Amino acid sequence: MDYIVDLLKILLPAAAVLYGMYLVVVSFISKEREKMLVELKTQNSKTILPVRLQAGERLCLLLERITPNNLVRRSNAGGISANELHGILLHEVREEFNHNFSQQVYFSDETWEAVKRAVEEVTTIINLSRQTLGEEASGLELAKAIFTQSLERKNDALAFALKKVKSEIQIYF
């Protein structure tokens, strides 16, 4: 019996010391892992943040460029028919959108959907404006119809999309 008591006197403190060492090692490894993750995130943000900001700039530029007023002013060569201007405007909107299509990777689904809705609204404004005019209408008449249609709709989808892009960029600051 004395042998068991002597053995317990040795084993219990040794077990306590081993358990204490185990907790210290686990805590140390956990803190080192957290430190490495923070370091990795810091390095990641140094690389990704500029790319995300550039993507935000490009989407803002896209939305500004396809605003009906800017689009018509930039594309109206004067002396062209409404059909020609209609084709040019639709081509410009599609090209701008296709050129910036890859930017969706850097934004949430909600923000990208807002951008797509804005592009669709601009396309709708152009198409509705063209439908209100006769076959022999001039490009100037189409431009006026687009301005009128744009004022009636107040470009809510464009403003909303721009607001979503800006608010998502603000997260990183």
Side-chain angles (χ1 to χ4, degrees):
M1 186 72 157
D2 285 334
Y3 177 71
I4 294 175
V5 172
D6 287 339
L7 188 62
L8 285 176
K9 285 181 184 177
I10 294 170
L11 287 179
L12 286 178
V17 168
L18 281 175
Y19 182 69
M21 288 301 294
Y22 170 77
L23 291 177
V24 168
V25 168
V26 166
S27 174
F28 177 75
I29 290 173
S30 174
K31 288 186 191 247
E32 282 298 312
R33 177 180 240 169
E34 286 178 25
K35 186 178 174 183
M36 286 175 48
L37 285 174
V38 166
E39 195 173 302
L40 182 64
K41 285 182 181 180
T42 303
Q43 289 175 349
N44 235 1
S45 68
K46 286 179 183 177
T47 305
I48 292 176
L49 184 62
V51 174
R52 281 191 171 182
L53 289 175
Q54 185 180 30
E57 290 171 357
R58 288 184 64 180
L59 280 185
C60 288
L61 184 61
L62 161 73
L63 293 169
E64 287 297 328
R65 287 179 63 91
I66 66 167
T67 301
N69 293 344
N70 293 337
L71 188 64
V72 169
R73 286 187 184 124
R74 199 174 61 251
S75 301
N76 194 358
I80 61 175
S81 71
N83 283 336
E84 291 171 328
L85 182 58
H86 178 254
I88 290 170
L89 294 175
L90 289 179
H91 178 73
E92 284 285 324
V93 171
R94 283 188 205 111
E95 284 297 312
E96 287 288 338
F97 183 68
N98 289 338
H99 183 68
N100 291 290
F101 195 75
S102 64
Q103 304 312 311
Q104 68 180 302
V105 172
Y106 302 105
F107 289 92
S108 67
D109 291 339
E110 297 85 28
T111 301
W112 184 249
E113 284 300 317
V115 170
K116 283 182 10 183
R117 268 184 263 127
V119 171
E120 290 168 5
E121 181 173 320
V122 170
T123 303
T124 301
I125 289 171
I126 293 169
N127 287 333
L128 287 176
S129 299
R130 177 63 191 111
Q131 290 173 359
T132 62
L133 302 174
E135 281 299 314
E136 299 300 319
S138 69
L140 184 59
E141 292 175 64
L142 178 60
K144 287 179 185 177
I146 290 172
F147 289 144
T148 303
Q149 190 76 236
S150 177
L151 288 174
E152 288 173 7
R153 289 178 172 249
K154 298 180 184 165
N155 295 329
D156 290 334
L158 283 165
F160 179 73
L162 195 55
K163 183 178 176 184
K164 289 288 282 182
V165 170
K166 287 179 180 179
S167 68
E168 201 160 320
I169 290 172
Q170 291 298 322
I171 292 171
Y172 302 110
F173 290 108

